[in-house]
Amino acid sequence: MQLSIKNFVLMLALLQIAFFTQARKLIIVGIPAPPMRYLDTNKQPKGFDIDVLDHILNKLGHKYVVVLIDSSPRVEIMWKKGDMDILMTYSYKKERVKYLIYPKESHVTVAWNFFIRKEDEGKIRFENYSDLKKWRVGASSGKSYTKEFWEASKSYPFIQIIPRDNLQLNKLINKRVDIVPLETISALYKAHQKGISEKITYLKKPLKIKPYYNLFVKASTYPSLNKLVKKYDEELFKMKQDNTLKKLKHKYYFAE
């Protein structure tokens, strides 16, 4: 079962129902981030993360409810208090291990790449950050990218920093910048939605790349959660072996 909650009061009511019914449902929480997790036109949660969990949990016979919350601090409070059972798609950080169980299997690798116009393919290259000096570089304030990028950008003759990352593809297509770093999965999905996939490409060398996991909450009261983690790993491994995971990635226009 999949539900979406925008009103926090309704969300709390839903969580109470999930906690106190005899056959308690797993409570799965995530922050909206298309195409990983988002609300469709019917206000139902959809996306790659949810498809992966739906496939595994249906096989294992676990019912669940999905809650999307657009607030990182609120989500962190919830996992620390045990107000959820599964947290969707976070990277590894040592300080999180106190509260979260990392499975062995990662379901997705997230990369950041430099995007350029298709017409500039072969002309713009990235081997080191000094290669970008002769181009008009776009960037978004508040994005970590890498320390090396931000340090190198101080010497760029032209760098345009804006607060809204969702404007960067339009600026690239309209030739206001020549190159811009973007989270690759999200950028490719947005390009498809905008109908501009054929007009852009990205440089193969990433700025950074790391595995992401669906995490299990240590303070959860869900019965036999540790056993579920083991079964989750087994089923996710099978999805990798039989190409089920690959097919789901194609559904959301992931890069190979």
Side-chain angles (χ1 to χ4, degrees):
M1 180 181 181
Q2 299 176 354
L3 297 174
S4 62
I5 304 298
K6 294 183 71 176
N7 184 288
F8 191 56
V9 174
L10 290 178
M11 185 200 76
L12 291 176
L14 176 64
L15 295 180
Q16 288 177 344
I17 292 170
F19 268 116
F20 295 112
T21 51
Q22 284 187 336
R24 180 158 99 68
K25 298 177 179 68
L26 279 161
I27 298 171
I28 302 171
V29 174
I31 298 169
M36 309 301 288
R37 307 162 299 281
Y38 61 93
L39 297 178
D40 67 10
T41 54
N42 295 317
K43 304 302 180 184
Q44 295 298 305
K46 300 291 182 183
F48 174 74
D49 287 350
I50 295 166
D51 284 357
V52 171
L53 286 166
D54 184 73
H55 180 91
I56 292 173
L57 295 176
N58 280 340
K59 276 202 164 187
L60 297 177
H62 291 269
K63 294 182 179 181
Y64 64 91
V65 58
V66 172
V67 181
L68 298 183
I69 302 172
D70 197 8
S71 170
S72 296
R74 184 179 293 168
V75 169
E76 183 171 349
I77 290 170
M78 289 179 69
W79 86 53
K80 287 181 176 179
K81 291 175 62 180
D83 290 338
M84 68 171 83
D85 305 305
I86 297 176
L87 173 66
M88 289 185 281
T89 309
Y90 269 61
S91 63
Y92 177 83
K93 286 190 177 179
K94 187 177 180 180
E95 60 268 25
R96 292 176 182 156
V97 175
K98 179 179 178 181
Y99 304 99
L100 301 168
I101 301 170
Y102 281 81
K104 293 179 181 178
E105 298 289 337
S106 162
H107 68 296
V108 65
T109 299
V110 175
W112 287 73
N113 289 76
F114 282 109
F115 279 74
I116 61 174
R117 290 179 293 276
K118 189 76 172 179
E119 64 193 63
D120 291 329
E121 193 171 19
K123 183 167 64 174
I124 299 177
R125 301 179 183 278
F126 168 58
E127 293 301 327
N128 55 68
Y129 289 109
S130 63
D131 294 338
L132 308 182
K133 283 186 177 182
K134 58 183 177 179
W135 305 108
R136 296 173 300 168
V137 181
S140 299
S141 58
K143 296 293 182 181
S144 58
Y145 302 128
T146 66
K147 291 180 181 179
E148 293 79 8
F149 168 77
W150 282 119
E151 187 61 33
S153 72
K154 296 175 184 177
S155 66
Y156 295 164
F158 182 94
I159 180 166
Q160 189 174 126
I161 301 172
I162 62 173
R164 296 178 61 188
D165 202 51
N166 61 348
L167 298 178
Q168 295 290 11
L169 282 176
N170 288 339
K171 290 172 67 66
L172 181 63
I173 291 298
N174 292 324
K175 299 189 176 183
R176 295 174 63 186
V177 296
D178 301 312
I179 184 168
V180 61
L182 294 168
E183 191 273 293
T184 312
I185 292 172
S186 177
L188 291 174
Y189 181 78
K190 289 175 183 176
H192 177 81
Q193 297 294 95
K194 291 173 177 286
I196 59 172
S197 297
E198 300 302 317
K199 296 181 179 180
I200 65 164
T201 187
Y202 62 93
L203 304 180
K204 298 305 179 184
K205 182 178 179 178
L207 287 81
K208 62 180 180 180
I209 184 168
K210 61 173 68 174
Y212 278 66
Y213 304 82
N214 288 318
L215 305 175
F216 296 80
V217 176
K218 288 186 175 181
S220 163
T221 61
Y222 192 80
S224 303
L225 192 71
N226 285 328
K227 290 183 180 179
L228 177 57
V229 177
K230 182 180 179 181
K231 292 293 184 182
Y232 169 89
D233 269 327
E234 291 172 356
E235 291 299 327
L236 182 52
F237 181 76
K238 290 177 186 177
M239 291 179 72
K240 294 177 180 180
Q241 295 299 107
D242 66 11
N243 285 329
T244 300
L245 192 65
K246 185 176 182 180
K247 290 175 183 176
L248 288 179
K249 290 179 179 180
H250 285 172
K251 176 180 175 181
Y252 294 100
Y253 311 102
F254 283 26
E256 290 294 337

